[in-house]
């Protein structure tokens, strides 16, 4: 066979091989994604008995980011915090809870970071939002309340956490606590949409309380 013919045959064989490998990788990814999701769901159920996380996506978990996050142990912000946020945005809530659990459980890993309060507040806020809006089972609202209270503890100016906390109290009909939370928020004089939403929620709660 002429030299050019050999090269042509080798190139076709190589191209076919690459296509086969690509297809195999795609198949494996499709198989791994739901399996990984089941594992994450099982881990969540083990830590939060009776709570089922309702995912909107079956994407693979997000990997490590490469952001300039400031000092921390083990690059935990890039390895767990940001991937958890990306998983949340993807609708892969099991993955997000797993990543945020790891991050929240280790505040000592970020105690040297000047923005620790922001990172911890956001982590609790996101996990609380998952329990509030994307979970089923008895106790999910209490878990959400715990996270929103922790979020406010870490950063009293995380206004969204007050709104979510009030909404969680409403879910379990603890109206007085919801009213107190909204009043606390308004006392901080938030501006724009936050103030309008808090005022609207508070007005409705007071109206329902005193028809």
């Amino acid at each position: 066979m002429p030299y050019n013919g050999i090269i042509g045959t080798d190139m076709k064989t190589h191209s076919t091989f690459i296509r086969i490998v690509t297809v195999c990788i795609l198949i494996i990814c499709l198989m791994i994604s739901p399996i990984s999701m089941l594992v994450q769901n099982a881990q969540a159920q083990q830590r939060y008995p009776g709570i089922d996380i309702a995912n909107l996506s079956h994407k693979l978990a997000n990997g490590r980011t490469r952001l300039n996050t400031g000092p921390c142990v083990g690059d935990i912000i890039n390895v767990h915090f940001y991937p958890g946020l990306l998983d949340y945005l993807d609708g892969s809530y099991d993955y997000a809870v797993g990543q945020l659990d790891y991050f929240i459980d280790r505040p000592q890993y970020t105690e040297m970071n000047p923005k620790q309060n922001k990172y911890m507040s956001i982590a609790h806020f996101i996990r609380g939002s998952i329990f509030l809006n994307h979970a089923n089972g008895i106790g999910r609202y209490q878990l959400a309340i715990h996270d929103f209270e922790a979020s406010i503890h870490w950063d009293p100016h995380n206004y969204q956490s007050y709104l979510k906390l009030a909404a969680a109290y409403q879910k379990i009909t603890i109206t007085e606590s919801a009213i107190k939370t909204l009043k606390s928020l308004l006392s901080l004089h938030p501006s724009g949409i936050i103030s309008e939403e808090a005022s609207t929620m508070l007005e409705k709660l007071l109206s329902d309380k005193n028809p």
Side-chain angles (χ1 to χ4, degrees):
M1 181 182 294
Y3 185 69
N4 288 340
I6 294 173
I7 292 177
T9 301
D10 288 343
M11 289 294 289
K12 289 179 181 178
T13 302
H14 179 73
S15 178
T16 301
F17 175 75
I18 292 297
R19 289 177 183 175
I20 292 172
V21 170
T22 301
V23 170
C24 289
I25 291 173
L26 288 173
I27 291 172
I28 291 171
C29 287
L30 289 172
M31 293 174 63
I32 288 176
S33 183
I35 292 173
S36 298
M37 195 68 72
L38 288 173
V39 171
Q40 286 288 338
N41 194 279
Q43 290 175 345
Q45 288 181 353
Q46 184 177 7
R47 177 160 181 163
Y48 308 106
I51 303 299
D52 180 54
I53 307 296
N55 295 294
L56 295 180
S57 168
H58 295 290
K59 290 184 177 181
L60 290 172
N62 284 280
R64 178 179 187 170
T65 57
R66 302 286 179 181
L67 302 174
N68 182 11
T69 63
C72 60
V73 175
D75 202 20
I76 191 172
I77 300 172
N78 273 313
V79 175
H80 294 284
F81 175 80
Y82 279 115
L85 263 60
L86 293 172
D87 289 333
Y88 173 77
L89 293 174
D90 284 343
S92 299
Y93 302 123
D94 275 342
Y95 290 138
V97 168
Q99 294 282 30
L100 296 173
D101 281 349
Y102 189 95
F103 181 81
I104 288 169
D105 289 348
R106 294 163 177 79
Q108 70 274 19
Y109 283 21
T110 54
E111 62 185 1
M112 72 293 293
N113 194 298
K115 295 182 179 179
Q116 183 194 37
N117 63 320
K118 300 293 185 183
Y119 287 122
M120 293 298 297
S121 180
I122 292 170
H124 278 289
F125 173 79
I126 295 298
R127 191 175 67 176
S129 296
I130 293 172
F131 290 134
L132 178 63
N133 299 317
H134 307 288
N136 300 298
I138 296 174
R140 65 189 184 278
Y141 296 132
Q142 286 80 359
L143 289 170
I145 287 169
H146 172 77
D147 267 327
F148 295 134
E149 288 178 339
S151 177
I152 293 168
H153 170 77
W154 279 104
D155 180 8
H157 290 90
N158 187 339
Y159 299 143
Q160 287 286 352
S161 290
Y162 291 86
L163 294 175
K164 292 280 191 177
L165 177 59
Y169 278 133
Q170 282 184 274
K171 290 289 187 181
I172 54 177
T173 63
I174 305 182
T175 305
E176 287 298 330
S177 293
I179 291 172
K180 181 180 178 181
T181 299
L182 293 170
K183 286 183 176 180
S184 295
L185 171 56
L186 290 170
S187 72
L188 297 174
H189 306 292
S191 59
I193 295 175
I194 297 294
S195 179
E196 292 176 11
E197 188 171 348
S199 297
T200 301
M201 288 178 65
L202 180 58
E203 184 179 347
K204 186 177 187 310
L205 285 172
L206 292 173
S207 176
D208 292 344
K209 181 183 175 184
N210 303 303

